Amino acid sequence: MSAHTRPVSEGAWFKSSYSGGNTTECVEVAVAGDSTVLIRDSQHPGGRRIAVRTGTWTDFLAFLGAR
């Protein structure tokens, strides 16, 4: 996992459907190429991003779905 500032099209970002209803706890995700998913805090869209491999992100989502 790494911090990442690579530019991604604003249209590429989407908010988590599980983000807080009061809009203060929002996570946004974007697919950046074939093998990278970027994650950022929607309250700081120009800030740092976390980059993870697509497979890691898929495994994480599967883990959450199994809970």
Side-chain angles (χ1 to χ4, degrees), residues 32-63:
D34 293 336
S35 63
T36 304
V37 173
L38 301 176
I39 306 158
R40 72 179 181 184
D41 178 351
S42 66
Q43 298 297 310
H44 303 284
R48 307 278 280 172
R49 293 129 190 228
I50 297 171
V52 297
R53 293 182 186 268
T54 304
T56 302
W57 182 248
T58 302
D59 291 345
F60 175 68
L61 294 178
F63 171 78

Side-chain angles (χ1 to χ4, degrees), residues 16-38:
S16 166
S17 61
Y18 291 99
S19 290
N22 60 7
T23 68
T24 61
E25 303 165 350
C26 295
V27 173
E28 293 181 325
V29 177
V31 177
D34 293 336
S35 63
T36 304
V37 173
L38 301 176

